[in-house]
Amino acid sequence: MKISKKDALKWFEFFSILPEDEEVMTKQQEIIYATFAQIEAAIDHRNDTLMSEIRGLKALKNRTFFVGNESKFPKGCRSCLLGTGLSAIRKTNKCNLECKFCYDYGEIEDMPPIGEGMWEIGGTKFYEKDIDLLLSIHQKPTGISYVYLEPFMEIEKYYSIIRKFNDAGIYQHLYTNGTLASEETLKALGEAGLDEIRFNLGATNCSDKVIENIAIAKKYIKNVGIETPMTPEFFKAFFEKKQVILDTKLDFINCAELHLNENNINNYYGENMYITRQGYISPIWSRELTLKFMKIADEENWNLAVHDCSNHTKFARGLNLSSKEGKWFGASDYSCEFSRIPYAVFLPILRDDNFKFLSEEELPEGYKPGELIF
C-alpha cells in the first residue's frame, strides 16, 4: 500500500488524539505501517544519495559503514558487530551532567544503584571475587564495555576489575563524558589494562577541557576516540574546533544515530522523525549529518576512522548477538522502545511540504478517512 502523504497525515492526526487505552484496528495498523514504510523509503533514498557521494566509503561485512583508516576502526565495535557482542558491565548509577539526548534524561536522580561492592554483568549481580568463578564457567566474551552512567564519578573502583579482565585477555572499553577525568586517573586506567576509551564530546558541546583530556588519554590508553549522538549542535561545535580535536591524535569517531525513547523524545518534539523497521525512532537529520561528516573526513583524509553507527548498525548488532547466543534464525533484541507508538511525533514530517514520498497511490476501499473500518 503506497499511501499518499495527504492521507497519511489525515490518519495520523486521528491516531494522535486516540485515548491511550484504545487499540487500533487491523486495517488501521496497515495504514500505520504503510505510512512508516513510505517515510522510511524516502529517508533511505536521501541517505543512499548522500552515501553515493562518499568516494572512500567502506563496509564492515555488510554490517556497518565507515571511512578512513581501517586499522583504527574501534575493536570494541568489531566485538559488537562480529564477535560475541557488547557485554556491558554496570557499576555507577550517577552522572554529573544531564544531556537532552540521554536515554535516562529526567531520571538520573532515580536510577537504581547496582549495590555496594557489586557489578552488574549480563543482568546478574557479582562481587569482584566472583569474577574468577564467572570466567571459569562461561566462555570469555570478545569484549566488554563499562557503561551506566559516568564511571569517573567513582573511577577508583574500576581499576582492580579492569586488571582482572585484562589478565584474562578480554578487550575492554569505557564510556565517559570526560569532564571528571584527569591525567592521574587516565594513567591509572591505562596501567590497569583498559584497551579503549570513548569520550562523549557532544555532552559538553566540545569543551576545551574534554578535548585536552582526549589528548592526555592518548598518552596512556592505546585506543582513544569519540562516541557521540550526531546532533546539529555537535556537528557545528566539532567543525569550529576541528583542528584542535584532530591534533589530539585520536583513533576514531563513532557518530551514533540519535534514537529516542520516552525519556528524551520531548526534547526533540517538532523535529522531522522517522522509524526504522518499526523499531528505533530518530530525527531524520541525525544520520544525514553523519554522512555529511563522513564525506568531509574522507575528502580531507583524516588519519582516523569515522564510523556510521546508524540504526542499521544497531539492527545488525542484535542479529549478530543472537546468532552468537545460538538463538533461533532471525531472532533479535531490536525493537521499538515505546510501549505505545507516539503518533503525534510524525505529524511534523507529514506536514512538511518539502518532504515528499517517492510514490503514492489512492487508498483502497475500506481504508479511506471517514469510512467505517471493521
Side-chain angles (χ1 to χ4, degrees):
M1 184 189 300
K2 301 288 186 181
I3 188 173
S4 71
K5 189 158 162 280
K6 180 180 178 181
D7 285 337
L9 174 58
K10 288 179 180 178
W11 270 114
F12 268 66
E13 286 176 335
F14 168 72
F15 295 140
S16 67
I17 61 173
L18 284 177
E20 288 192 7
D21 59 350
E22 184 169 335
E23 297 293 329
V24 296
M25 302 176 188
T26 300
K27 286 187 177 181
Q28 292 173 328
Q29 286 182 320
E30 292 182 58
I31 293 285
I32 293 164
Y33 293 156
T35 300
F36 288 160
Q38 286 284 73
I39 296 173
E40 188 175 7
I43 297 302
D44 285 348
H45 177 73
R46 289 163 64 151
N47 288 341
D48 287 345
T49 300
L50 290 171
M51 292 172 74
S52 71
E53 298 170 354
I54 305 174
R55 292 185 178 181
L57 189 67
K58 303 171 185 176
L60 184 72
K61 296 189 181 296
N62 198 37
R63 302 183 187 191
T64 196
F65 298 95
F66 68 99
V67 297
N69 190 334
E70 187 168 357
S71 69
K72 294 189 175 184
F73 187 89
K75 293 182 176 62
C77 292
R78 288 185 184 275
S79 175
C80 179
L81 292 164
L82 303 174
T84 52
L86 186 64
S87 300
I89 297 183
R90 293 172 172 252
K91 175 63 179 174
T92 305
N93 68 318
K94 295 179 174 61
C95 189
N96 62 314
L97 301 179
E98 185 173 53
C99 305
K100 74 174 188 176
F101 51 69
C102 180
Y103 301 135
D104 298 313
Y105 181 86
E107 295 190 344
I108 299 294
E109 296 299 321
D110 300 319
M111 301 308 291
I114 299 302
E116 185 63 30
M118 305 196 84
W119 301 78
E120 184 180 288
I121 307 173
T124 302
K125 303 292 184 66
F126 292 85
Y127 287 113
E128 188 173 324
K129 64 184 179 182
D130 298 324
I131 301 303
D132 290 334
L133 175 65
L134 171 63
L135 291 170
S136 70
I137 295 174
H138 272 253
Q139 181 180 350
K140 290 193 303 184
T142 52
I144 58 176
S145 61
Y146 297 95
V147 298
Y148 182 76
L149 286 162
E150 174 47 56
F152 279 87
M153 296 285 288
E154 50 181 356
I155 197 64
E156 69 283 348
K157 296 179 180 179
Y158 285 71
Y159 305 143
S160 59
I161 200 164
I162 289 173
R163 288 192 190 94
K164 190 172 284 290
F165 283 116
N166 179 63
D167 290 342
I170 298 173
Y171 191 89
Q172 305 175 79
H173 73 267
L174 179 144
Y175 296 91
T176 178
N177 61 46
T179 57
L180 302 177
S182 66
E183 180 145 9
E184 178 185 8
T185 54
L186 290 167
K187 181 180 180 181
L189 285 171
E191 290 175 343
L194 185 69
D195 299 288
E196 180 181 308
I197 188 167
R198 302 179 176 191
F199 290 85
N200 188 334
L201 193 56
T204 57
N205 209 30
C206 299
S207 79
D208 294 336
K209 178 181 180 181
V210 177
I211 295 170
E212 181 182 347
N213 281 334
I214 292 173
I216 293 171
K218 273 302 296 177
K219 294 163 58 176
Y220 304 109
I221 300 170
K222 185 176 181 181
N223 301 292
V224 177
I226 294 168
E227 179 160 331
T228 292
M230 180 54 76
T231 64
E233 296 87 353
F234 174 65
F235 188 93
K236 180 177 183 291
F238 180 93
F239 283 103
E240 288 174 351
K241 298 183 178 182
K242 180 189 74 173
Q243 197 53 54
V244 68
I245 295 171
L246 297 180
D247 286 346
T248 65
K249 308 300 181 184
L250 76 167
D251 300 288
F252 61 86
I253 302 174
N254 286 340
C255 301
E257 183 170 6
L258 173 62
H259 71 269
L260 305 171
N261 64 13
E262 293 177 348
N263 294 328
N264 60 11
I265 196 165
N266 288 332
N267 295 331
Y268 296 92
Y269 191 81
E271 302 287 354
N272 283 0
M273 306 277 191
Y274 82 115
I275 186 168
T276 308
R277 292 181 183 81
Q278 300 174 25
Y280 288 175
I281 296 175
S282 299
I284 67 170
W285 41 250
S286 189
R287 195 174 186 211
E288 285 185 1
L289 289 174
T290 288
L291 296 173
K292 291 175 181 178
F293 189 101
M294 293 170 71
K295 185 174 187 287
I296 296 169
D298 180 57
E299 291 174 347
E300 296 182 355
N301 197 30
W302 299 355
N303 185 27
L304 45 74
V306 180
H307 178 203
D308 170 28
C309 189
S310 67
N311 291 341
H312 167 82
T313 302
K314 305 294 199 312
F315 182 66
R317 174 186 68 185
L319 288 173
N320 175 67
L321 180 57
S322 67
S323 72
K324 295 299 191 298
E325 293 175 339
K327 291 186 177 178
W328 57 92
F329 182 71
S332 170
D333 62 358
Y334 177 86
S335 63
C336 184
E337 301 204 356
F338 294 83
S339 56
R340 176 184 170 88
I341 294 172
Y343 301 107
V345 305
F346 299 100
L347 294 178
I349 196 168
L350 293 173
R351 290 170 175 161
D352 185 351
D353 293 336
N354 295 318
F355 182 80
K356 309 292 184 184
F357 286 178
L358 299 181
S359 62
E360 298 183 349
E361 298 172 351
E362 184 178 352
L363 283 172
E365 293 298 322
Y367 292 85
K368 296 176 182 178
E371 293 182 344
L372 184 63
I373 296 177
F374 295 98

